[in-house]
Amino acid sequence: MFQIFAFFRKNSIEILFVILQILAFAILVQSKSFHQAKFSAVTAKWMYSLHEKREKWSNYFQLAHQNRQLQNENARLRSVLMNNYSSDLAVYSQVANDSLRVQYRMFPARAVQRTYRKNNNYLVIDKGLRHGVYSGMGVISTEGVVGVVKDVGENYATVITLLHSKFRLSTRLVRNTFFGTMLWDGRDFRTGAISDFPSHADIQIGDTVVTDTRSAIFPAGIPVGVIKSHQLNSAIDNIEAEVRLFTDFSALYHVYLVEEVEYEERRLIEELIEDER
Amino acid sequence: MSDNPVYLFFKYTLVLLFQFFVLSNVQFFGYITPYYYPLLLLLMPVKFNQHTLLILGFFTGLIVDMMERSGAIHASATVMMVYLRPVFLRLVSTRGGEDLPNLSVSTLGFRNFSLLVILAFFFHHFTMYFIDALKLQQLDVILWRTAQTTLLSFVVVLVFHGLTFPKKVNP
């Protein structure tokens, strides 16, 4: 009995060290699976207000860059306004605006907090339930695709970004509509990977990659990146390509939430298929 | 003066706020962030109770983790550094630093002080990146990042430590 006490006494520092490491590891595992995206923690509230303060403060240094981004986008939007086009045929003007169905609506949000150097990266935005945010909503920036909303709080929501090991995005090439699924290998925050192009696909360096219609989360044709390199993997008969992402995740501030207007209807219909299986 | 709890608390708050509002916003080459707060624990008096220091290190790291929302990687890394601190101290001074009135550039000398900071920060950063990734196949990436971050942290320590750790030998 005394020997046990003597052992604990002698190695008390080692024991305390091991206990603290186990405790840290437990907190880490819990945070990875659950806490990272939930808002129930007591500390979350004042932590976010602290983050918002820092964001406001550091934002001043990026104003010029953000202005340029927004200005570029405005220019692009102005150039596609209807009055920039003139029709050669009279009948085209017969297409009435009210025969078009609105499928997506966008509204702006700000990124309060972001990570981009980890294996799984998140964004926290300053819009939540009160603003009509729902889980599964798409998020884009002025430059391209950002991610998908995961958990929604009253005033804030978390976004799984492209830079997340579980994120999959349906994409296609603009030039010839070959499609592939994009994911992230966890190395470089400016580079994504598409590994399932068919081996006969015609891919060239510099080809633009955009979102595909197979995913209803994003409207088709939202820019994703350009092909940086590609090579044939003869073992699985696929072409693997690296994509330079358009979105600069290190300087992300203004984002847009993509609301799918008929989301509920699509979800209900899709559930019917699930039931039938 | 340096043992005064009010002074210590003030210094802690200041260093943690400095870490959060300034250093954590720095990202060299897109991903290298310097850390300064481990110095708080590294330069504690040599005779300071090791148990208390381990627990203090754990909660200091946890506060940084809460601010950066990084789980508990800083807590783990800081506990590791505090645990290894006596080893580092034995390496840089003859009697594990026990004969020194305090730990600073003036008492250790520039060479030994640099060695202490680089060693301690290297182990701190390595634990941090390793726990965060938890994948052995990325060991090259982890080691490279650790080396870069340690270098940057060391530069930050050289620039700023004179401000928070005055050179006065005795209170």
Side-chain angles (χ1 to χ4, degrees):
Chain A
M1 194 67 188
F2 277 113
Q3 276 173 332
I4 299 174
F5 279 131
F7 174 79
F8 277 116
R9 212 188 173 88
K10 202 166 155 238
N11 298 304
S12 57
I13 288 176
E14 280 72 19
I15 291 167
L16 182 64
F17 171 72
V18 171
I19 290 175
L20 288 178
Q21 286 295 13
I22 292 174
L23 198 61
F25 199 74
I27 296 174
L28 183 71
V29 170
Q30 196 226 10
S31 76
K32 281 211 161 155
S33 58
F34 166 77
H35 180 250
Q36 182 75 279
K38 289 276 178 188
F39 292 89
S40 52
V42 189
T43 54
K45 197 164 180 152
W46 66 269
M47 268 307 154
Y48 279 119
S49 72
L50 196 65
H51 270 284
E52 217 167 358
K53 278 198 185 71
R54 178 171 82 171
E55 207 61 44
K56 267 184 193 149
W57 182 81
S58 63
N59 200 27
Y60 281 108
F61 298 104
Q62 297 182 3
L63 279 182
H65 178 67
Q66 283 165 11
N67 274 345
R68 213 159 42 238
Q69 275 183 356
L70 295 175
Q71 201 178 12
N72 283 343
E73 181 172 47
N74 274 345
R76 205 173 67 238
L77 292 178
R78 277 176 188 278
S79 67
V80 296
L81 282 178
M82 277 313 277
N83 54 16
N84 283 341
Y85 296 88
S86 62
S87 173
D88 287 342
L89 295 166
V91 273
Y92 277 109
S93 61
Q94 300 279 322
V95 180
N97 271 341
D98 56 4
S99 69
L100 296 170
R101 206 167 88 233
V102 178
Q103 202 182 351
Y104 296 99
R105 269 199 292 261
M106 320 237 169
F107 55 96
R110 288 181 305 143
V112 184
Q113 194 196 338
R114 66 184 90 79
T115 66
Y116 59 93
R117 288 168 294 159
K118 302 185 176 171
N119 283 326
N120 295 313
N121 294 286
Y122 292 88
L123 210 67
V124 178
I125 52 171
D126 68 341
K127 296 284 184 290
L129 279 178
R130 287 200 318 144
H131 313 92
V133 178
Y134 56 84
S135 182
M137 214 170 186
V139 180
I140 61 173
S141 73
T142 55
E143 298 160 308
V145 173
V146 172
V148 171
V149 172
K150 185 169 181 262
D151 287 305
V152 187
E154 194 62 30
N155 293 303
Y156 295 95
T158 52
V159 177
I160 295 182
T161 65
L162 273 180
L163 311 179
H164 191 287
S165 58
K166 295 215 172 65
F167 195 91
R168 301 284 179 274
L169 182 69
S170 305
T171 57
R172 65 175 181 81
L173 298 179
V174 173
R175 194 162 54 84
N176 52 22
T177 71
F178 276 110
F179 56 76
T181 309
M182 203 180 83
L183 39 90
W184 189 58
D185 59 5
R187 287 196 174 244
D188 178 10
F189 70 90
R190 302 228 64 166
T191 312
I194 300 175
S195 57
D196 60 349
F197 279 123
S199 59
H200 65 278
D202 167 26
I203 300 171
Q204 277 167 25
I205 289 172
D207 276 353
T208 307
V209 179
V210 296
T211 55
D212 184 37
T213 44
R214 285 179 298 156
S215 149
I217 293 173
F218 298 102
I222 300 284
V224 176
V226 291
I227 301 282
K228 199 163 100 179
S229 68
H230 60 89
Q231 64 174 32
L232 183 71
N233 183 343
S234 44
I236 48 173
D237 209 26
N238 273 349
I239 291 180
E240 293 172 347
E242 282 192 320
V243 180
R244 191 175 61 76
L245 301 173
F246 283 135
T247 305
D248 180 359
F249 286 91
S250 66
L252 202 56
Y253 189 68
H254 294 288
V255 295
Y256 297 96
L257 287 155
V258 182
E259 182 194 357
E260 195 190 342
V261 178
E262 290 149 351
Y263 175 76
E264 274 301 312
E265 186 183 332
R266 181 172 67 84
R267 206 173 51 82
L268 287 174
I269 291 289
E270 282 177 358
E271 265 173 21
L272 290 180
I273 310 173
E274 295 288 324
D275 290 345
E276 215 163 275
R277 274 189 196 140
Chain B
M1 184 194 170
S2 57
D3 290 339
N4 185 345
V6 179
Y7 171 76
L8 266 182
F9 179 78
F10 185 67
K11 189 168 84 176
Y12 250 77
T13 316
L14 204 70
V15 168
L16 288 179
L17 286 179
F18 173 64
Q19 177 71 51
F20 180 73
F21 277 101
V22 182
L23 291 184
S24 293
N25 287 331
V26 176
Q27 271 126 19
F28 272 91
F29 310 124
Y31 59 84
I32 306 169
T33 298
Y35 292 99
Y36 183 69
Y37 78 92
L39 205 64
L40 282 173
L41 297 135
L42 187 65
L43 297 188
M44 276 288 189
V46 178
K47 291 187 182 117
F48 203 87
N49 183 303
Q50 179 75 353
H51 296 92
T52 321
L53 200 58
L54 277 171
I55 293 172
L56 195 63
F58 180 79
F59 283 106
T60 311
L62 206 58
I63 290 173
V64 176
D65 280 319
M66 274 157 67
M67 295 196 297
E68 309 216 326
R69 289 184 69 75
S70 50
I73 60 172
H74 286 283
S76 177
T78 313
V79 167
M80 177 65 90
M81 190 196 73
V82 171
Y83 177 69
L84 294 174
R85 191 177 85 127
V87 183
F88 302 144
L89 285 176
R90 271 199 294 280
L91 279 174
V92 298
S93 65
T94 41
R95 291 179 52 206
E98 276 181 27
D99 48 340
L100 302 173
N102 62 5
L103 297 171
S104 66
V105 182
S106 50
T107 54
L108 281 167
F110 181 76
R111 202 179 66 94
N112 282 337
F113 180 80
S114 308
L115 188 64
L116 176 70
V117 170
I118 287 177
L119 267 177
F121 276 60
F122 184 85
F123 275 90
H124 178 277
H125 296 347
F126 179 76
T127 314
M128 189 177 81
Y129 285 128
F130 183 73
I131 301 256
D132 189 34
L134 274 187
K135 276 182 208 154
L136 269 176
Q137 67 259 39
Q138 287 188 353
L139 202 61
D140 54 334
V141 181
I142 293 174
L143 278 173
W144 177 230
R145 279 189 187 188
T146 305
Q148 289 171 305
T149 313
T150 305
L151 194 69
L152 192 61
S153 296
F154 176 63
V155 172
V156 170
V157 166
L158 286 189
V159 172
F160 287 103
H161 93 286
L163 299 178
T164 41
F165 298 92
K167 280 179 197 151
K168 274 177 235 150
V169 174
N170 250 332

